[in-house]
Amino acid sequence: MSFLSKHKYTLYGVLAILLWSSLTAFIRDLSELFSPIGGAALIYSVSAIFLILVMGVPRLSNYPKRYLVFGGSLFVIYEMCLALSLGFANSRQQALEMAIINYLWPALTILLSIIVNRTKVSVLVYPSILIAFLGVAWCIAGNSGLSMAVLTANISDNPLPYSMAFAAAFIWAVYCSVTVKLSEGKNAISVFFAATAIYLWISYGLSNEPSFEFNVYSSFTLLLAGVVIGGGYALWNQAIIGGNLVFLGTLSYFIPVLSTLFASIYLSLSLTNAFWQGVVLVTLGSLMCFIVTRKTKPAQ
């Protein structure tokens, strides 16, 4: 048996993680090419169509109702908060700050699990979570120095995307905590993507955003982004069948670094040392959370 055939599901997962790392850059680019809400509606529409073509037309009767309603609502709200926080950011640099805030979700997921399941954990988990939050603060403060005054000034300059990014991180943490049981092993990702697109189109119709102007570059970017993001979910759906989930789970904690690296190149950004230090702290804090909680058991 060749290496590729033996580890193909794990390789699917690695490729999915690499594709997901491009999400921040693509959403920000499309928000500039079209508009924040319209660009998000377009990209989720293309992704939904791609997922349906690859995974087949979903039948709602195949999924538990609570999963569709509750899990679907959380997914739609999360994706809208994430996409619009990136689109409404004042600059590309600020859009990357939104992305880093979103990557607090692994630490928040673990914190929520501790609270809900009354899990006995190592005392190291709490400083690990603080390290992740410190990393976000470090990114927002930049070279101005870490202080409450600097953080408050930066956030108050454009509070809406910051609020949406923080909300997205908390919502995704809840989604990850509850959908494992609600889904009963089912995956309605194509349904959720379609629902997200529908709600974004409704939001776009109610907004004052301008009509679209397509050209060769914007059309190609839209198609590529939709396929890349949808393809990431499709590949991950295959990876969980027989991939090395411990390895893939560990690797996924490095998405903030990969996402920042890709976005800085794609969006032609020159990031400060302080920003990169913040990204590393977010990654380190989340990874430490994962490591110190792997062998914990629920309290009796």
Side-chain angles (χ1 to χ4, degrees):
M1 182 180 293
S2 67
F3 176 85
L4 289 178
S5 59
K6 183 179 180 181
H7 300 285
K8 67 176 182 179
Y9 290 111
T10 299
L11 292 174
Y12 289 157
V14 172
L15 185 55
I17 289 169
L18 293 176
L19 293 179
W20 280 335
S21 298
S22 67
L23 186 144
T24 297
F26 278 132
I27 290 181
R28 177 62 194 187
D29 190 24
L30 287 167
S31 73
E32 295 176 359
L33 291 171
F34 297 104
S35 60
I37 302 176
L42 286 168
I43 192 172
Y44 280 93
S45 297
V46 175
S47 293
I49 293 170
F50 176 80
L51 284 169
I52 291 172
L53 290 174
V54 172
M55 301 173 67
V57 178
R59 298 181 62 180
L60 297 182
S61 59
N62 291 338
Y63 306 106
K65 291 183 179 179
R66 287 197 305 163
Y67 171 50
L68 285 177
V69 174
F70 190 59
S73 297
L74 288 172
F75 185 93
V76 170
I77 296 171
Y78 165 75
E79 295 293 347
M80 290 182 69
C81 284
L82 174 60
L84 297 183
S85 69
L86 296 173
F88 287 138
N90 284 336
S91 64
R92 292 179 170 185
Q93 169 80 26
Q94 193 175 75
L96 279 190
E97 293 177 16
M98 302 306 112
I100 297 305
I101 293 171
N102 170 66
Y103 290 126
L104 283 172
W105 70 261
L108 290 172
T109 300
I110 290 172
L111 179 62
L112 186 62
S113 176
I114 293 170
I115 295 172
V116 173
N117 299 321
R118 295 182 302 150
T119 307
K120 291 181 179 179
V121 296
S122 166
V123 293
L124 293 176
V125 72
Y126 300 108
S128 300
I129 294 171
L130 287 176
I131 288 173
F133 274 87
L134 176 63
V136 167
W138 207 277
C139 288
I140 296 173
N143 289 332
S144 300
L146 186 60
S147 71
M148 188 58 66
V150 171
L151 292 176
T152 302
N154 288 349
I155 293 174
S156 61
D157 181 54
N158 191 15
L160 179 60
Y162 283 103
S163 301
M164 296 179 103
F166 275 111
F170 279 97
I171 291 168
W172 195 248
V174 176
Y175 177 88
C176 292
S177 300
V178 302
T179 53
V180 174
K181 293 182 179 179
L182 291 178
S183 66
E184 298 178 7
K186 305 290 185 178
N187 186 345
I189 191 66
S190 55
V191 178
F192 293 169
F193 256 78
T196 303
I198 290 170
Y199 277 98
L200 283 167
W201 281 120
I202 294 172
S203 300
Y204 175 73
L206 297 174
S207 73
N208 295 319
E209 291 190 350
S211 57
F212 303 133
E213 294 184 7
F214 290 93
N215 55 46
V216 174
Y217 174 77
S218 63
S219 300
F220 175 77
T221 303
L222 172 61
L223 181 61
L224 176 63
V227 171
V228 164
I229 295 172
Y233 282 96
L235 283 167
W236 188 260
N237 194 48
Q238 291 296 309
I240 60 177
I241 293 175
N244 185 332
L245 295 184
V246 173
F247 170 74
L248 293 174
T250 304
L251 183 63
S252 68
Y253 282 85
F254 291 92
I255 290 180
V257 176
L258 297 172
S259 178
T260 303
L261 179 62
F262 182 86
S264 65
I265 296 172
Y266 183 87
L267 299 174
S268 301
L269 286 171
S270 179
L271 301 175
T272 64
N273 290 333
F275 193 94
W276 279 111
Q277 290 164 5
V279 172
V280 170
L281 286 174
V282 171
T283 303
L284 179 62
S286 298
L287 191 58
M288 287 173 59
C289 284
F290 172 70
I291 293 172
V292 301
T293 56
R294 277 189 61 189
K295 297 182 180 180
T296 57
K297 299 180 179 179
Q300 301 296 320

